[in-house]
Amino acid sequence: MSVLHVSTQPFEGQKPGTSGLRKKVTVFQQPNYLHNFVQSIFDSLEGFKGTTLVVGGDGRYYNREAVQIILKMAAANGFGRVLVGRGGILSTPAASCVIRKHGAYGGIVLSASHNPGGPHEDFGIKYNIGNGGPAPEKVTEAMFARSRAISAYHITDAADVDLDTVGKRALDGMTVEVIDSVADYAELMERLFDFDRIRALLASPGYRIAFDAMSAVTGPYARAILEGRLGAPAGSVMRADPLEDFGGGHPDPNLVYAHDLVELMYREGGPEFGAASDGDGDRNMILGHQFFVTPSDSLAVLAANATVAPGYAKGLAGIARSMPTSAAADRVAAKLGIDCYETPTGWKFFGTLLDAGRATLCGEESFGTGSDHVREKDGLWAVLFWLNVLAARRQSVADIVREHWRTYGRNYYSRHDYEGIDSAAAEELMDTLRRQTGTLVGKKLGAYDVASADDFAYTDPVDGSVTTKQGIRVGFSDGSRIVYRLSGTGTEGATLRVYIERYEPDPSRHDDDPQVALADLITIARDLAEIERRTGRPKPTVIT
Ligand code: VG1
Ligand code: CO
């Protein structure tokens, strides 16, 4: 065995987006493409010789090949040990958990999350730092800069490592330790939540739950915890076996892509509680019987009820939400007398607040919720948190949410996505809006008075780093809001996201369909940005 120093040339566009580098599998399969990016990661890090790296992914097509390449490059670059999930599998939150628990230097997570998988679909890679969370922007920028100047990478010519049996093996002076993908994570969940109480709830007569793993990474975790440790009947976890192409589906837990689950939950006599998670297990969708919980509301409800869970019995230090997420959580924070932070989109912006002990719960409107237990959003964690709340309150999901609205008011909320539009047209649309922000305040749009308009910029309150151009916000005098931003996770063209929110304090008006309750604002949002004229799209691709 020997280390090879292979000369290479930079590839264009190895720039990490909202959550790592995501490209088509065929792009990653080009000779040296993955190698270049992995070497760019290692070249941007310091002092890792002899330390531990964690490696795992969501099991999508190309996961196994990528793991082998990364192991051989980690050995050649001087890591002392790599912890890798069996079969190369670790959900994103489990990877975060393993990095923290074993004091690793960092980790490489292979996933394109909710994007489809397969030979012609998407693959992704991202680096997480020692706190278990996504690398902050200054680190990802250093990696991108390195990728543009790279001239060689280092790799051992050793044979492939057996990834399918738990245990230690040697790889050219480095130790590869294949670990059970679920064990560390399940043990952490058991410490945070009242498993006895949840077990009792699940054992009550006629109580049924359904969890849709969408043929993605959460299946083994959900089976081990929900069916194994908590006693839910076998079959409660649907689509539980991870597939390289997610069964041809779109592993995105929303009302559109988890339609079988939704159909089951809306059927007469359907389960009391339903949930789904995404490709890499960090997102969650929560459903009650014939009831959908908006992710923004889910964060607010969990925050308001957090102390029922043993891991949060002491209360919350603060709440953080991404800017486009509704202000429902802000109302809970105000009532609890704790701070609420508004950050740019992407979990990497929560890390400093969690590390500093300023926030305990975090959430994003994009079906992401999490806490200081790891440094990623965590789908199954949210499901267990909900089950703990249900077990403590013994009310239906719908009753809990409706009661929440009566107490705090309802933030009607919806996101409209225009996927795969022309990139130049999308940039132009955003630039035009950006120019308008200076002149919008004081204008009337429909029945709404514009009270504020800006391009969101964020100064991290912990480390002072500044991030600009994070979305155009138009605020109205009654607190309603429209936000526009372009996705940073897609791999084809551009995706425009439009986020619409309106606060309704009156409980007699809490039962409307959000699309109806927000209809005027939706029209304003379309007209203001001239979406149809600029993109050719009369309506959104996905509404959540
Ligand atoms: C989307 C979501 C964002 C989330 C990100 C990664 O980003 O909007 O809230 O953090 O995906 O989630 P964007 O830039 O496409 O809007 V995941 O589950 O894809 O890792
Ligand atoms: Co994800």
Side-chain angles (χ1 to χ4, degrees):
M1 282 180 290
S2 57
V3 170
L4 309 177
H5 306 283
V6 183
S7 59
T8 186
Q9 298 211 324
F11 285 92
E12 278 294 303
Q14 292 198 323
K15 186 176 169 58
T18 311
S19 181
L21 181 70
R22 293 187 188 171
K23 301 281 178 196
K24 292 283 170 210
V25 166
T26 47
V27 173
F28 273 103
Q29 284 171 327
Q30 296 172 85
N32 295 351
Y33 190 91
L34 177 67
H35 303 74
N36 272 20
F37 190 70
V38 172
Q39 190 63 50
S40 300
I41 294 176
F42 293 157
D43 287 350
S44 310
L45 307 176
E46 275 171 10
F48 60 80
K49 297 272 186 251
T51 65
T52 299
L53 181 74
V54 172
V55 177
D58 63 12
R60 69 178 58 225
Y61 186 85
Y62 200 56
N63 193 78
R64 278 181 173 268
E65 290 88 332
V67 169
Q68 294 291 353
I69 291 168
I70 293 164
L71 292 177
K72 290 172 194 174
M73 290 185 66
N77 278 274
F79 276 96
R81 178 171 75 139
V82 172
L83 298 178
V84 57
R86 183 173 19 192
I89 297 270
L90 282 175
S91 76
T92 293
S96 186
C97 164
V98 171
I99 292 170
R100 294 170 67 76
K101 180 167 174 177
H102 298 273
Y105 181 92
I108 292 181
V109 182
L110 302 170
S111 167
S113 189
H114 53 289
N115 297 11
H120 301 289
E121 299 294 351
D122 293 355
F123 189 74
I125 173 169
K126 72 173 175 168
Y127 179 72
N128 282 22
I129 59 175
N131 74 352
E137 298 232 294
K138 64 174 189 310
V139 179
T140 55
E141 274 157 21
M143 290 166 185
F144 177 48
R146 182 66 196 147
S147 78
R148 297 177 11 141
I150 191 165
S151 59
Y153 64 82
H154 318 296
I155 189 162
T156 166
D157 64 358
D160 279 3
V161 179
D162 166 19
L163 296 177
D164 295 307
T165 29
V166 167
K168 289 185 189 165
R169 39 218 65 129
L171 180 69
D172 213 353
M174 185 182 83
T175 304
V176 175
E177 202 172 325
V178 177
I179 60 170
D180 182 289
S181 308
V182 178
D184 287 334
Y185 178 83
E187 185 256 338
L188 175 59
M189 293 302 114
E190 200 148 10
R191 274 191 283 128
L192 295 175
F193 300 114
D194 190 339
F195 272 35
D196 288 338
R197 213 167 186 179
I198 299 174
R199 216 174 279 122
L201 173 76
L202 298 184
S204 37
Y207 202 91
R208 279 202 299 141
I209 66 168
F211 181 93
D212 185 355
M214 305 192 85
S215 305
V217 79
T218 326
Y221 296 85
R223 239 188 212 149
I225 296 173
L226 297 175
E227 296 182 5
R229 299 187 188 213
L230 292 169
S236 300
V237 182
M238 308 154 57
R239 296 198 276 176
D241 294 316
L243 300 173
E244 284 196 330
D245 66 350
F246 310 119
H250 208 124
D252 198 355
N254 59 39
L255 296 174
V256 179
Y257 295 122
H259 45 80
D260 289 355
L261 173 74
V262 173
E263 205 261 313
L264 176 67
M265 294 303 299
Y266 278 78
R267 208 180 279 168
E268 279 312 312
E272 293 289 325
F273 178 79
S277 64
D278 71 333
D280 62 330
D282 57 358
R283 295 187 179 201
N284 73 91
M285 174 170 68
I286 302 294
L287 299 164
H289 182 234
Q290 301 182 340
F291 194 87
F292 165 68
V293 186
T294 304
S296 298
D297 280 344
S298 177
L299 173 66
V301 169
L302 292 182
N305 291 278
T307 53
V308 304
Y312 306 91
K314 289 204 293 287
L316 308 177
I319 305 172
R321 64 163 173 84
S322 68
M323 181 273 283
T325 303
S326 98
D330 304 35
R331 298 181 179 276
V332 177
K335 188 158 181 196
L336 293 173
I338 57 176
D339 287 333
C340 188
Y341 300 90
E342 186 175 41
T343 61
T345 296
W347 214 260
K348 59 189 164 196
F349 295 102
F350 293 131
T352 53
L353 295 168
L354 293 166
D355 284 353
R358 291 169 75 157
T360 309
L361 292 195
C362 305
E364 294 192 281
E365 51 66 41
S366 54
F367 298 84
T369 335
S371 86
D372 58 358
H373 70 292
V374 290
R375 294 292 181 276
E376 290 279 5
K377 55 189 187 279
D378 190 343
L380 196 49
W381 167 90
V383 171
L384 293 167
F385 210 147
W386 264 96
L387 286 171
N388 201 151
V389 171
L390 292 168
R393 293 189 47 168
R394 294 281 177 156
Q395 286 170 284
S396 72
V397 172
D399 285 349
I400 288 173
V401 176
R402 290 207 178 95
E403 198 174 307
H404 185 93
W405 292 338
R406 277 198 295 280
T407 308
Y408 296 94
R410 177 172 182 186
N411 289 71
Y412 276 106
Y413 187 86
S414 184
R415 182 176 109 184
H416 288 205
D417 290 336
Y418 297 79
E419 295 178 335
I421 59 176
D422 179 69
S423 296
E427 291 293 344
E428 176 75 31
L429 181 153
M430 292 299 289
D431 286 343
T432 309
L433 283 171
R434 195 169 290 121
R435 281 197 298 274
Q436 281 178 288
T437 53
T439 57
L440 274 176
V441 176
K443 281 201 177 143
K444 217 172 174 64
L445 299 178
Y448 291 83
D449 295 307
V450 180
S452 63
D454 68 356
D455 189 350
F456 181 53
Y458 177 68
T459 304
D460 186 303
V462 179
D463 69 11
S465 59
V466 176
T467 310
T468 57
K469 290 185 145 185
Q470 293 300 305
I472 306 293
R473 307 191 281 187
V474 180
F476 299 97
S477 56
D478 70 340
S480 299
R481 210 168 61 130
I482 298 169
V483 175
Y484 303 86
R485 59 179 286 281
L486 297 183
S487 159
T489 57
T491 59
E492 263 177 61
T495 292
L496 171 67
R497 305 202 195 285
V498 186
Y499 312 79
I500 306 121
E501 174 176 4
R502 179 170 78 78
Y503 179 64
E504 178 55 73
D506 180 357
S508 74
R509 302 170 70 174
H510 282 169
D511 287 322
D512 286 342
D513 175 343
Q515 302 310 316
V516 175
L518 296 168
D520 291 350
L521 285 164
I522 290 169
T523 305
I524 292 170
R526 275 198 210 136
D527 292 350
L528 181 63
E530 301 179 283
I531 295 175
E532 182 164 2
R533 186 179 73 74
R534 291 179 179 281
T535 68
R537 299 288 179 80
K539 57 180 189 352
T541 338
V542 179
I543 295 179
T544 48

